[in-house]
Every structure is written in structure tokens, then in C-alpha cells.
Amino acid sequence: MAIDKFELEELFETFIENFYESDLREAATKGKESIPIDFSKLAKFNPAAAEQLLDKPRGTIDALETAMIHRMRNWINGLSAKQLAQVKHIGKYNLGKLIGISNINARLLNIPDSQKVQIKSISKEHIGKLIIMEGNVIKQSKAWLEPICSKFECPSCGSEMLLMQAGNGLKKPSECACGHKSCFKQLKTIFIDVQELILQDLSHDAKKKGAQICVIVRNDLAGAEMSRDTAEGKRIRVCGIVEEEKRISKHSHKIPNLIVNANNIEPI
């Protein structure tokens, strides 16, 4: 039986408090965007939660990252003004508090070999699952900016609204609580770095074109420092979630295409 969202968040808060409190504080102090989470520790702490992370990774990782930001908020709220001055990106974490999303990413390590899949074997049965795969980077795109949330002001009553963003287009509010429906002023938008990698199966025959898959990397995985490890010709191990993306063919038909949204990348 699946653990519900609220129970998961409470469970993960205890897990973070027991094993990663110092890492979380260091991330806040140094402005890091992620901390590594050892799956084997979680499996010992709560086997059911660990199993759910493998089978339903999207919601489970969201709960883990929400727990991380809760722990960070609790720590930040207890700091003195002098201590607060030493915490980097405090504004970003406050925005995370307002919109209810995580600004710290959980990068998973030591995922069991049972999740390892060759690129050529990835199929629809893996959609929504957490997998590990290894391959050669044969193409690395330039990074681009993707909006994740925006703050708008109503011209009628002055109320501020926060709106989650998805994809490249900027969504605007449809209506304010006061009833106003147009010309909302955009106050601020937070963007993240996004990059696309094309990964080729390590096991392919040198005389043939090996199986390939598109890997989407975000946040610190798409940063300049990480880009050196994911440059063309590099061999990497990817931990990520298989998802289906619809692409448009030259005849304007939507064609299903499998991609992997990376949670973590390690050089091999």
C-alpha cells in the first residue's frame, strides 16, 4: 500500500533530520542547489518509502524535496540577523516558502542494480519509473532558461499572485480574487538552466549505430561546472525518470518519444 503524500513528508523530515541536517545547512550557507542522498540509507531507514521511490519516483522525490525545504525553513527561521547575513540565496528560499515548492534538489546515489537498464531496452513499461543507465554523450546542447514560477500584481486591487510555470511559454493569471481578468503586471520570474544530452548505448556494435535516448538535465546538472562532465565523448551514468514526450513530425502528427529526466549524473 502506497504511503500518502503527507505521511511521506513527515517521514522524510525525520530522515533528513537524522542523516542530512548538516548537509542541508551547508547547502544554505554556501548557496548549493542540491545535496546527495544515499538510497541505501533510506532503504535501511524505511524500506517501504525506498521501494515507493523506485516505483513512483516523481511524487516521492517531490515529497523528499519538500521535507528538505521544511527543515531548511525551520533552521533559517531560528537564525539571528547576523547569522542570516551569512546564508546565501536567502531570497530564493523565502520564495520557495511562499510558493510551496522545493529549491533544493535531492540527487540520488547508490540506486540498486535492479534499476539498471540498457538504453536499447528502454520501453513504455519503464515510463514513470526510476532507472539507471550508462552511455556515451554524443551530443550536448547549449543551456537555455526555463521559467518555473512567476509573481504577478493585479492592476485593480494590487494583490500579488504566484503562478507555477511549466515549459518554455510564460503563463499569466486568468483572474484575480477581486474579479479582474486582464493586464496583470509581471513582477518577477524565477528561471532554471536546462540542457539536453543525447546518450548512446555503451553496448552497441561499433559497426552499427547504437541505441540513443534524449536526457534532460536541469538546475545544477546543467551548470557550467557539470557541463565539463557531460561534454561530447564523455561516458556517464544517469539516474532518472523515464517519461513520454510528444514531438511533432513533418506531417504535423504527434509522435510519442521516450526521454529521461535526469535526477543525477555521475562520470564513469
Side-chain angles (χ1 to χ4, degrees), residues 194-252:
V194 185
Q195 202 169 23
E196 186 178 283
L197 309 175
I198 302 298
L199 208 61
Q200 183 171 268
D201 210 320
L202 289 177
S203 61
H204 77 281
D205 187 326
K207 297 180 181 180
K208 300 178 182 179
K209 182 180 178 180
Q212 300 174 6
I213 196 163
C214 175
V215 179
I216 305 297
V217 296
R218 290 180 169 84
N219 294 308
D220 53 329
L221 293 183
E225 183 176 343
M226 192 65 188
S227 289
R228 292 193 291 269
D229 291 330
T230 57
E232 293 175 13
K234 295 288 187 178
R235 300 176 67 172
I236 60 174
R237 178 182 296 109
V238 177
C239 168
I241 302 172
V242 180
E243 295 182 354
E244 188 176 49
E245 180 185 63
K246 299 288 186 180
R247 59 184 177 87
I248 307 298
S249 72
K250 62 181 179 181
H251 301 296
S252 299

Side-chain angles (χ1 to χ4, degrees), residues 138-191:
I138 62 171
K139 185 178 180 181
Q140 179 194 60
S141 76
K142 291 183 178 180
W144 69 89
L145 294 177
E146 181 178 273
I148 58 169
C149 62
S150 300
K151 182 187 288 187
F152 295 89
E153 182 181 74
C154 176
S156 178
C157 68
S159 296
E160 293 183 356
M161 294 165 281
L162 288 158
L163 188 65
M164 299 301 298
Q165 302 290 339
N168 295 322
L170 188 67
K171 293 190 297 183
K172 296 182 179 180
S174 58
E175 185 176 359
C176 178
C178 73
H180 190 81
K181 296 183 178 181
S182 63
C183 300
F184 296 102
K185 182 180 179 181
Q186 182 184 341
L187 300 177
K188 184 176 183 180
T189 296
I190 288 185
F191 295 88

Side-chain angles (χ1 to χ4, degrees), residues 11-12 14-15 18-20 37-51 53-54 109-110 112:
L11 184 156
F12 284 141
T14 303
F15 174 68
N18 289 350
F19 296 100
Y20 291 100
I37 300 293
D38 189 334
F39 179 85
S40 63
K41 286 185 178 180
L42 177 60
K44 291 179 181 178
F45 177 77
N46 191 297
E51 187 64 30
L53 190 151
L54 299 179
L109 298 171
N110 294 324

Side-chain angles (χ1 to χ4, degrees), residues 5 24 95:
K5 178 178 180 286
L24 208 56
L95 182 60

Side-chain angles (χ1 to χ4, degrees), residues 37-105:
I37 300 293
D38 189 334
F39 179 85
S40 63
K41 286 185 178 180
L42 177 60
K44 291 179 181 178
F45 177 77
N46 191 297
E51 187 64 30
Q52 188 162 317
L53 190 151
L54 299 179
D55 193 49
K56 298 179 179 179
R58 179 64 67 194
T60 309
I61 292 172
D62 285 348
L64 173 57
E65 292 178 340
T66 298
M68 290 163 62
I69 205 70
H70 284 170
R71 292 301 309 168
M72 183 173 285
R73 288 178 199 161
N74 291 340
W75 175 64
I76 288 174
N77 289 338
L79 296 179
S80 66
K82 183 177 180 180
Q83 290 171 322
L84 278 173
Q86 299 174 354
V87 178
K88 296 187 178 180
H89 303 307
I90 187 68
K92 185 175 73 168
Y93 295 127
N94 279 339
L95 182 60
K97 180 177 181 179
L98 288 172
I99 62 179
I101 63 168
S102 171
N103 302 112
I104 291 290
N105 299 286

